[in-house]
Amino acid sequence: AAVRLCRGRALLSRVRGAPRLLRGLAAGPEMHFGFQSVTEEERREKIYQVFENVAKKYDVMNDSMTLGIHRVWKDILVHKMNPSPGTLLLDVAGGTGDIAFRFINYVRSVRERQLQRKLKHHQNLSWQEIFENYQEDKFSTLGDSQVVVCDINREMLKVGKQKAQHLGYSEGLSWVLGNAEELPFDDDKFDVYTIAFGIRNVTRIDLALQEAYRVLKPGGRFLCLEFSHVSNPLLSRLYDLYSFQVIPVLGEVIAGDWKSYQYLVESIRQFPPQEELKAMIEDAGFFKVDYENLNFGIVAIHSGFKL
């Protein structure tokens, strides 16, 4: 009887423990949120809250944290893209519009050079014909180019739209609320996909890469600009010291938010190194995948093509 009672208690204990086990399974595997271990859903919610908090001070903090160098890195990304008039770009996690505005400026400058070359090659045109040609091309400064900014965070998109209005960007620019892991776009739609300082905040990087591949046209290009792993040991130690001792303090002083910037620093350390991310991009189906380190690997630009 005592044995049966013990077995009964053990069975009851397992049954009582079942809901806890099921809840644990439903929550999914543990993931990193900075140096914390959290569930997938918790990570998604916490990251959303981080960018909700920092949106209004995002640009100011980027300048402060990188001493303005992030502007150069973004310029290099767009020059590497080398978009031509007619390019359709999807910029994911680009809520504040930095890549989108650079893309528009770049295409406009290409169009202007094309127009000047066109007029130079028609020296025998009358003044009236030159004027009409110029007027016709002037009204289409992007040559059917379009950039779609997609971001999961409403507050970041709001800041981006306000910047666009203030800076006078409207032609060829649209804003879409969407998740990088489940993009609200058709297959084979875009010529270029960019994600700048956003992929490390995606909950499932593998899903985001698969979605990038899906929405690109055959021949389309994937470009990712992200903080990475420093190759120089001395610089790596100095970089760690600056990251952990200075950046959270700047976050507190400028944005009144120590924790969000502590997370951003920690998230960089948890992000896959260059070769590992390269392998993940290849696993998603991309070809001719490579990367370029900038500033000894503080950031890297990864590139791949959908063939």
Side-chain angles (χ1 to χ4, degrees):
V3 171
R4 283 198 302 273
L5 182 60
C6 287
R7 284 176 180 164
R9 284 175 177 168
L11 178 61
L12 183 60
S13 174
R14 285 199 295 272
V15 170
R16 284 173 177 165
R20 287 195 296 273
L21 176 62
L22 290 172
R23 281 198 299 274
L25 291 171
E30 286 196 337
M31 310 188 84
H32 293 295
F33 175 75
F35 292 158
Q36 300 175 43
S37 290
V38 295
T39 66
E40 186 174 316
E41 187 56 36
E42 285 173 336
R43 185 178 195 274
R44 189 174 284 112
E45 290 172 3
K46 283 176 177 289
I47 289 174
Y48 189 94
Q49 193 59 53
V50 164
F51 286 94
E52 190 90 350
N53 293 343
V54 305
K56 290 179 181 176
K57 296 288 186 179
Y58 186 76
D59 289 331
V60 176
M61 277 302 300
N62 276 348
D63 282 332
S64 302
M65 289 188 301
T66 68
L67 307 177
I69 300 172
H70 74 100
R71 297 171 181 268
V72 178
W73 295 332
K74 289 167 183 172
D75 287 341
I76 292 170
L77 176 71
V78 174
H79 278 83
K80 196 175 182 72
M81 185 197 312
N82 190 24
S84 57
T87 298
L88 184 57
L89 167 66
L90 173 63
D91 183 38
V92 175
T96 57
D98 276 4
I99 302 302
F101 304 153
R102 282 169 169 77
F103 169 82
I104 290 171
N105 291 342
Y106 193 97
V107 173
R108 279 178 179 168
S109 68
V110 172
R111 285 281 291 170
E112 185 65 30
R113 289 195 299 271
Q114 286 178 346
L115 176 57
Q116 289 173 359
R117 283 197 298 269
K118 178 181 174 182
L119 294 176
K120 281 179 182 176
H121 283 99
H122 293 83
Q123 296 291 341
N124 59 340
L125 290 178
S126 68
W127 173 84
Q128 185 65 29
E129 288 170 322
I130 290 173
F131 178 77
E132 288 171 359
N133 255 307
Y134 186 79
Q135 290 299 312
E136 181 184 326
D137 286 329
K138 188 177 74 171
F139 288 113
S140 180
T141 58
L142 292 178
D144 297 324
S145 292
Q146 294 277 332
V147 52
V148 178
V149 179
C150 181
D151 202 295
I152 197 171
N153 194 288
R154 290 181 187 276
E155 199 62 31
M156 293 288 281
L157 285 173
K158 181 181 174 183
V159 170
K161 289 177 184 177
Q162 289 170 346
K163 276 176 64 181
Q165 187 175 14
H166 176 70
L167 297 171
Y169 292 101
S170 58
E171 181 193 4
L173 175 62
S174 56
W175 308 84
V176 174
L177 185 70
N179 185 346
E181 299 167 45
E182 195 174 353
L183 293 169
F185 306 108
D186 294 335
D187 297 358
D188 306 329
K189 183 175 176 64
F190 296 95
D191 299 302
V192 184
Y193 171 113
T194 53
I195 184 165
F197 303 117
I199 202 164
R200 78 179 189 282
N201 298 308
V202 169
T203 304
R204 290 280 305 277
I205 294 174
D206 57 334
L207 294 183
L209 292 172
Q210 288 167 26
E211 280 291 272
Y213 187 88
R214 180 183 67 78
V215 300
L216 278 170
K217 297 175 183 176
R221 190 176 192 184
F222 168 87
L223 284 166
C224 171
L225 171 65
E226 188 53 86
F227 287 108
S228 202
H229 290 247
V230 179
S231 53
N232 182 290
L234 176 59
L235 181 59
S236 179
R237 287 196 291 273
L238 292 173
Y239 181 46
D240 280 348
L241 186 66
Y242 174 76
S243 297
F244 288 101
Q245 301 300 321
V246 177
I247 289 178
V249 175
L250 286 174
E252 181 64 32
V253 171
I254 296 172
D257 190 346
W258 178 293
K259 288 184 178 179
S260 292
Y261 288 94
Q262 181 73 25
Y263 156 73
L264 291 173
V265 170
E266 292 174 0
S267 70
I268 295 168
R269 300 313 183 276
Q270 298 288 10
F271 190 67
Q274 289 89 322
E275 284 293 328
E276 191 177 328
L277 182 59
K278 179 186 176 184
M280 293 174 75
I281 296 168
E282 289 171 337
D283 288 344
F286 289 99
F287 289 87
K288 206 182 175 195
V289 178
D290 62 12
Y291 61 87
E292 177 186 357
N293 284 330
L294 305 177
N295 297 95
F296 298 97
I298 289 178
V299 299
I301 298 175
H302 280 76
S303 170
F305 294 87
K306 176 178 177 176
L307 302 180

